[in-house]
Amino acid sequence: MSEAGNAPSGLSTKWVHRYQVAPQLSSLFYVPDYISPAEEERLLREVHASKAKWVQLSGRRLQNHGGVVHAKGLIPAPLPSWLQPLLRRLAAEGAGGGEEERGAGAGAGAGAGAGAGAGGGARAGGGDQSGCVSGGAGGEGVRAAGVSSAGGGAGGGAAAAAGTGGGGRGLYGGQPPNHVLVNSYLPGEGIMPHEDGPAYHPVVAIVSLGSPAVLRFRRKALREGDGHDDNSGGADTGSMGTNNGHGPNGNAPAAPDGHTDTTTTAAPPASAAHRNRHAEAASQGSYLCPSSLPSSSSSRPAAVPVGDLRSAPSAPSSASGDDGGSAGDGPGCSSSCRSSCGGALLTNNGNGNGNGCSNVGSNSSGGHSMSSPYIASVFLAPRSLVVFRDQAFTHCLHSIEEVHEERLDESVVNLGESMRGSAYEGLTHGSMVPRGGERISLTVRRVARVLPALLRPRT
Ligand SMILES: O=C(O)CCC(=O)C(=O)O
Ligand SMILES: [Fe+2]
C-alpha cells in the first residue's frame, strides 16, 4: 500500500490523492483546467504554425517532436521552444514539496504561467500503487535497462524542475520528458486500443486542446498458455495470433507515431477499418479484453480494493514488485488477469461489436458492469491533463472511439467533482457530448533510452 508522503509511484502522495480518479485504476490521474485558456490558445497556434510535418493516419494525424522513437531508443532531435514551458511544468508535476500542487501556480521552473486552479477532482483512493504496478519490462529487460540509462534527451533542463523532495520525483521520475506527439482528431476520428510500449518510461501525460473526447481503458488480454506476466508491451504473441512485431529486444521499426512495439495485429478487430488501423498506425497493442469488474450501484466505479488490475474480484491482490521495472509481474497480476480476462478472450474477440468483446451492450446499474469492456474511461475536457502510468500504462490498452458524439457511459470516472465549475459541470452518466471540432492532444512521454544522435530528423 502506498505510504504517506512516499508514494511508490514516485509521485507525492498529495498529488496522487488529489488527482486519482478511479479506484480500480489507481495509476490514472485527471487534472481539470491544467492550462489556462490563453495557454491553450498559444499552444494551438504553435501547433498549427509548426514546421513539423503532419503524418496522416486513417483516424488522426500527428506531428512528432523530440526525435524518432526507435525500438532501441530515441534518436533525439531538439524539442521546439514553444513546448519547453509545458515540459518543464510536467516534469515538476507530482514532485512534492508543494510547489507543483494545483492552485499554487505552475510549479517549479514551470514558466508556463498557467496554474489554473484545478478545483479538486480526484479523491484519495488509499492508493495501493505497489504490487503489480509497473510490473515492468516483462521479462524483456527493455524497460528496466532503459530507465536506468535514460540520460539526457532533448528535454533540456526539465529535470531540474522535477525535484526530489516531498515524497515524489515527479511524473517522469526526476527526468525530463523528451518526446511529444501532437495528435489531431476531427470528429469521428479516434485511436484504436493500443499500448504505448516499453520504449517509454511507463508514464504518459496528455494535455487536451480544442474539443473534448473520452479516453478509454481496458485490460490487456493474457496470452493463452501463460500467466501473461509480461504484459508490458512485450511479446504479446500467441494464441490470438497477436504479434506485436517486436521481439524480446524490441526490434520493431519506429512507427509513425513513435510507438515502437505495438505493431500488433490483434485479436480479430471487429471491422476492416479497425484492421487497417492496426496495420497503419502501428500503435495498437494486443487485443481486447472485457473487463469483469463487478457491478456497483454507485455512479462511481466499483469500490474494488485499490490494487488496480490485480484487484479484480476473483483475484485477491497479492504484493509483488514495486516500482522499478523489475522483470515480470507479481503473482497477483497473473491471477487477476487470468481470472478477469482469461478464457473469455478466446471466444469473445472479433464478434463484431467494435470492441472485440462479446459481452458489451446491456449495461447494468452502474459502476463497472460485467458488460462494459472498459475498466475506466476519462472525459478529457479541453485544457485538461490526463496522466497514466504504471499499471494503467503497462496492463491496459487505451483508446478513443471514432465517434462524433461521446457517450458518457458508466465507465467514465471523472464526472462530478472533476468538472465542477467548468463548462462540463452538468454532465452525468448517459450524457452525450459532441466532439465538436478538432481536438489536439499533446502526448508527452520520456523515451527511456536515448541513442546517440547520429541521425537527426527534422523537427
Ligand atoms: O490523443 C490522446 O489523448 C491519446 C493519444 C495516444 O494514446 C497516443 O498518442 O499514444
Ligand atoms: Fe497511446
Side-chain angles (χ1 to χ4, degrees):
M1 300 292 288
S2 95
E3 305 294 330
N6 186 28
S9 63
L11 295 170
S12 77
T13 304
K14 189 174 168 189
W15 195 95
V16 165
H17 285 183
R18 193 157 190 184
Y19 301 119
Q20 247 175 359
V21 280
Q24 74 279 21
L25 197 56
S26 65
S27 45
L28 170 65
F29 307 93
Y30 178 78
V31 184
D33 296 317
Y34 185 68
I35 62 169
S36 68
E39 179 68 352
E40 177 187 39
E41 211 176 293
R42 181 186 76 83
L43 289 167
L44 283 170
R45 215 173 30 244
E46 296 288 3
V47 163
H48 290 299
S50 170
K51 292 207 163 47
K53 69 174 189 293
W54 287 101
V55 176
Q56 182 67 54
L57 304 178
S58 67
R60 64 192 159 117
R61 58 183 185 143
L62 59 86
Q63 284 175 5
N64 185 67
H65 296 280
V68 175
V69 183
H70 184 274
K72 289 182 175 163
L74 178 70
I75 302 170
L79 283 156
S81 58
W82 57 267
L83 278 170
Q84 296 292 349
L86 178 66
L87 301 187
R88 282 195 294 273
R89 186 176 172 203
L90 287 171
E93 208 57 55
E99 64 275 20
E100 90 293 356
E101 306 294 352
R102 309 299 307 146
R123 74 279 197 226
D128 178 351
Q129 302 219 330
S130 58
C132 313
V133 172
S134 76
E140 300 179 19
V142 173
R143 179 170 300 133
V147 168
S148 61
S149 65
T164 54
R169 289 181 298 147
L171 284 187
Y172 303 92
Q175 299 284 335
N178 56 11
H179 194 262
V180 180
L181 272 189
V182 178
N183 285 298
S184 160
Y185 306 86
L186 295 174
E189 295 188 320
I191 187 166
M192 278 287 289
H194 68 282
E195 60 186 316
D196 288 359
Y200 298 99
H201 182 69
V203 175
V204 55
I206 300 172
V207 174
S208 291
L209 313 171
S211 295
V214 174
L215 185 65
R216 301 186 180 272
F217 292 84
R218 68 182 82 212
R219 285 188 180 84
K220 283 166 64 175
L222 86 158
R223 295 164 296 180
E224 184 181 28
D226 77 13
H228 97 294
D229 280 12
D230 55 347
N231 251 349
S232 60
D236 271 324
T237 57
S239 64
M240 305 304 289
T242 307
N243 184 346
N244 62 10
H246 83 107
N249 296 314
N251 287 331
D257 59 358
H259 298 151
T260 59
D261 73 326
T262 48
T263 50
T264 305
T265 299
S271 69
H274 282 185
R275 275 193 299 278
N276 292 341
R277 296 288 303 285
H278 276 262
E280 182 189 64
S283 62
Q284 329 313 338
S286 302
Y287 46 91
L288 312 177
C289 170
S291 164
S292 57
L293 286 171
S295 297
S296 158
S297 58
S298 133
S299 62
R300 277 291 189 179
V304 295
V306 183
D308 282 348
L309 305 174
R310 62 195 169 90
S311 300
S314 55
S317 63
S318 61
S320 63
D322 202 327
D323 227 10
S326 59
D329 294 336
C333 295
S334 302
S335 58
S336 79
C337 290
R338 189 179 297 121
S339 61
S340 61
C341 305
L345 285 169
L346 299 176
T347 54
N348 277 355
N349 285 289
N351 62 355
N353 60 23
N355 294 309
C357 300
S358 65
N359 59 344
V360 295
S362 58
N363 212 345
S364 68
S365 53
H368 285 272
S369 85
M370 294 286 288
S371 59
S372 172
Y374 302 119
I375 183 171
S377 300
V378 188
F379 179 71
L380 303 176
R383 301 190 290 105
S384 68
L385 169 68
V386 67
V387 172
F388 58 96
R389 49 181 291 147
D390 303 326
Q391 270 201 333
F393 190 98
T394 56
H395 288 56
C396 289
L397 306 179
H398 54 279
S399 59
I400 293 171
E401 294 180 347
E402 295 178 332
V403 294
H404 286 80
E405 263 189 321
E406 294 280 9
R407 178 168 187 276
L408 304 186
D409 65 356
E410 299 291 339
S411 71
V412 178
V413 295
N414 63 330
L415 303 181
E417 194 56 28
S418 291
M419 299 298 151
R420 186 151 301 156
S422 81
Y424 300 101
E425 182 164 357
L427 295 177
T428 58
H429 289 139
S431 296
M432 301 293 294
V433 182
R435 289 273 287 273
E438 182 185 38
R439 170 175 177 266
I440 295 283
S441 69
L442 308 178
T443 300
V444 180
R445 293 174 288 209
R446 182 163 74 81
V447 184
R449 300 185 68 188
V450 178
L451 300 175
L454 300 174
L455 302 166
R456 289 188 177 257
R458 283 180 299 148
T459 54

